[in-house]
Amino acid sequence: MLKKRIEWIDIAKAYGIIAVVFGHALASGTTTNIIYWWHMPLFFIVGGFFLKPIDTTKLTHWKKFFNKRIYRDLLIYFIAGIGLILLYSILYDKNWDYLINHLSRLLVGGRTLNLYTSTFWFVNVYLLSITAVTLLISTVKSRIGQLTIVGLGLFVSTCYDKIDWLNLYSYQTMPWNLDIVLIAAFFTYVGYLFFHTNWHWIEKPLPIGLLVGASLAIIGLYLNQKFSFEFSMKSHLIQSSEPKILMLATIPLIFSFGVMGLSALTSKLSIGLLLSTIGKHTMIIMYLHGALLDIAEQAGIENVAVKVVIALVIPMLLALLKQPVVRRNSVYLQG
């Protein structure tokens, strides 16, 4: 049976990674706040699309899951991390103490990762989340039970500000941002549930129009100061004038699914090919864009758009000119 790649998923990832790069290239403000509402939740939602239950009683099934979903990303995480820490040390003439300190942070992960590895927390939480959700859907058969568990986890995540009882490298955090899995697993499970039901509704004009309209309305209310909402997954920042659980369970989903709907429309346009190409190289851009933005700035480039283009294009060229640095699992649809 032939397999066909679902192009709008790659395009959605492209929109997500472009938002990530813009968010890091811009100074903090209203635009970055809105970007942060949805760009990381989108990646966790997409990460849940191709999860499936396994027989948790069989070690061979866990080994297969590890080899297919964990091993490659974990290997690249350490290789890329070591390389970027060495690069920063060379460019900024850091001493051995700095180098050893930051290399050891790769093991602890989470909020302790900064500078060129500041986005690496995503890989930590992503790997933990897909493992947690796979365990959930493999052991709890009721979808109501599954939703209840991830919903309770999301609620718990809104009941505290930060982990204040554990300090690692002067950061209040858990190893690998473990507590952020309470948030990420919710979005990952939503992605799993969406893709294992009738997901084709996201390609229809009416739902797309409603989602985009709702997103624009939310932005309008926000700009007119009808509510406040700040959300950053890495730092566990959740500030809102409304109940946190309500905002966290709605706004990121509305925006993420709105982006997916727009991606389905974009896939029918000529620009879709360029965006899908960007989407296929999401992870190498995620790894390298921080360093490239900094290098561009040090070279005297101040224009945000130019820096963003540099941070997007160079990783893709590196991947295309040689054997791909980051080989992602293919996204397929049975046809």
Side-chain angles (χ1 to χ4, degrees):
M1 186 175 290
L2 296 176
K3 293 180 179 180
K4 182 181 178 182
R5 194 174 181 103
I6 309 172
E7 190 176 22
W8 68 256
I9 297 180
D10 286 323
I11 294 173
K13 293 194 297 180
Y15 283 132
I17 198 62
I18 291 170
V20 168
V21 177
F22 259 111
H24 291 152
L26 292 169
S28 297
T30 299
T31 302
T32 54
N33 281 345
I34 294 173
I35 288 173
Y36 274 56
W37 289 351
W38 64 271
H39 66 354
M40 298 317 297
L42 173 66
F43 284 114
F44 287 108
I45 291 170
V46 173
F49 282 2
F50 300 99
L51 297 183
K52 59 183 180 180
I54 63 174
D55 188 341
T56 57
T57 63
K58 294 183 178 179
L59 184 59
T60 53
H61 285 217
W62 279 114
K63 286 182 177 179
K64 184 178 180 180
F65 172 80
F66 177 82
N67 290 332
K68 183 178 181 181
R69 303 306 302 264
I70 305 294
Y71 174 74
R72 185 180 295 275
D73 281 329
L74 195 60
L75 179 63
I76 295 171
Y77 165 82
F78 283 107
I79 293 174
I82 292 169
L84 287 170
I85 291 169
L86 287 172
L87 176 63
Y88 186 90
S89 299
I90 293 170
L91 292 177
Y92 286 89
D93 194 25
K94 296 295 183 179
N95 58 29
W96 282 102
D97 288 340
Y98 171 89
L99 184 60
I100 293 171
N101 177 279
H102 280 73
L103 287 174
S104 65
R105 293 189 189 196
L106 287 173
L107 296 173
V108 177
R111 291 188 66 216
T112 70
L113 299 169
N114 58 11
L115 304 173
Y116 288 176
T117 59
S118 63
T119 57
F120 281 42
W121 72 271
F122 167 75
V123 182
N124 297 158
V125 179
Y126 169 76
L127 296 179
L128 291 173
S129 296
I130 62 172
T131 302
V133 173
T134 298
L135 180 62
L136 173 67
I137 61 179
S138 300
T139 56
V140 179
K141 302 304 180 183
S142 166
R143 282 186 174 169
I144 293 177
Q146 295 167 356
L147 272 171
T148 300
I149 291 171
V150 295
L152 285 173
L154 188 69
F155 173 73
V156 170
S157 74
T158 65
C159 295
Y160 65 95
D161 292 328
K162 282 185 176 67
I163 297 294
D164 56 7
W165 46 268
L166 183 60
N167 278 275
L168 300 170
Y169 295 89
S170 300
Y171 290 93
Q172 293 179 327
T173 184
M174 296 183 72
W176 277 39
N177 266 12
L178 184 61
D179 64 306
I180 306 301
V181 176
L182 293 173
I183 302 173
F186 171 80
F187 295 124
T188 303
Y189 177 76
V190 168
Y192 164 79
L193 190 62
F194 160 76
F195 206 74
H196 287 77
T197 53
N198 183 22
W199 58 267
H200 290 281
W201 62 265
I202 198 66
E203 299 174 331
K204 297 179 180 179
L206 180 59
I208 296 172
L210 291 174
L211 287 165
V212 173
S215 299
L216 293 175
I218 290 169
I219 292 174
L221 291 171
Y222 176 72
L223 294 178
N224 285 283
Q225 299 181 338
K226 299 300 182 182
F227 73 93
S228 62
F229 180 46
E230 290 186 53
F231 176 43
S232 173
M233 288 187 71
K234 179 181 180 180
S235 58
H236 195 276
L237 173 66
I238 310 169
Q239 296 180 351
S240 175
S241 58
E242 309 301 324
K244 292 180 180 180
I245 182 64
L246 175 64
M247 305 298 274
L248 206 54
T250 54
I251 290 181
L253 293 183
I254 291 171
F255 276 77
S256 295
F257 281 101
V259 168
M260 284 188 270
L262 288 175
S263 301
L265 292 179
T266 308
S267 66
K268 298 176 174 61
L269 305 176
S270 56
I271 196 176
L273 178 60
L274 172 62
L275 289 171
S276 65
T277 302
I278 295 173
K280 291 171 186 175
H281 297 91
T282 298
M283 286 309 298
I284 189 172
I285 297 171
M286 185 78 79
Y287 280 124
L288 297 183
H289 78 272
L292 290 170
L293 288 174
D294 179 65
I295 292 171
E297 188 172 328
Q298 296 303 317
I301 300 173
E302 297 182 358
N303 186 281
V304 171
V306 173
K307 289 194 292 184
V308 168
V309 170
I310 290 171
L312 291 172
V313 171
I314 290 180
M316 288 195 298
L317 289 177
L318 291 174
L320 294 172
L321 290 175
K322 201 176 178 183
Q323 189 175 7
V325 177
V326 179
R327 183 181 178 184
R328 303 298 300 155
N329 288 328
S330 296
V331 179
Y332 287 113
L333 167 66
Q334 295 290 337

